[in-house]
Amino acid sequence: MTRRDMLLAALVATMWGFNFVVIDWGMAGIPPLFFVAVRFAVVALAVVVVPRPLASWKTVVGVGLFMSLGQFALLYTSIALGLQPGIAALLLQAQVVLTIVVAALALRERPSRMQTIGVLVGTVGLGVVALGRGGDAPAIAVVLCLLAALSWAIGNVISRKAGPVAPAKRFGALSLTVWSSLVVPLPALGLSALIEGPDAIAAGIAAFGWRPVVSTLYTAGLCTLVGYAIFNALLARNRSASVVPWVLLAPVVAMASAALLLGQIPNVWETVGGLVLVAGVIIANAPVRRRAERALAAPEPVAASSSSAVGGHAH
């Protein structure tokens, strides 16, 4: 990678990592499921300019339900329940090892020895983080975040099974991300009405000031649309094995920004567990990138996802 491309990769990872703090900052007073509906309604506007992916509607709906709706509904709810944004970003990286497990079960893909070791190491790291959360977040928030990672992993496998979906090389996974977002707003709004209640939605609309607007524009505009556009351009110019590891900067940025801006300092066990989890991701990721890069597609986070992603578009 050129120095310019490395800077761009670092920029995208920074955007995706800071995304978790922005979600927490903008969601104050807004029901999380309603906030998810608003975010993806904004993302869906891009269908006007982004061509439809070369995939069946079954794939588009599947990715929308798991990689977008499932992942972010669970993630936003976990943050609303008190899970620190930095820890949330870290726990979401479990999608890498969970993707390997889901692919083994659903696609009958036998994991390599290194993948198996990576899954085991990552699982140990997750256990340390969960046990060492220090009471700062309810256990249910940690469980919901891990379920978000599982939902992302299922979406990864659905996307991978579909094969190449880009209508043109420059769009990459962005086309599937944008079109699958059409699936999210109405179900998310329905879930919000059912779980959070009409009164909470009305209160959320009344509280939707400049902070939720800025947060939505950042998560939907910068993280999903701009972030994916840059990331896909990097993948078009460089080997995936050179680009994908940069995504691991996202949880580092998330934890650092949460510490600096929110005063949320991870405890020793969370730090140690996070390092072990990242080590497991690196071990599991290295051999997979050569054979099945799409299974480890970026978040946004979400992304992203993200929906990061690091869907991700979790970011």
Side-chain angles (χ1 to χ4, degrees), residues 146-162:
L146 290 176
L147 289 176
L150 176 61
S151 187
W152 184 0
I154 295 172
N156 280 340
V157 173
I158 293 173
S159 176
R160 173 179 175 179
K161 188 176 180 180

Side-chain angles (χ1 to χ4, degrees), residues 84 86-87 90 132 136 255-256 258-259 263-271:
Q84 296 181 6
I87 302 302
L90 182 65
D136 294 329
M255 297 183 78
Q264 296 175 346
I265 310 296
N267 60 38
V268 174
W269 288 105
E270 288 169 341
T271 302

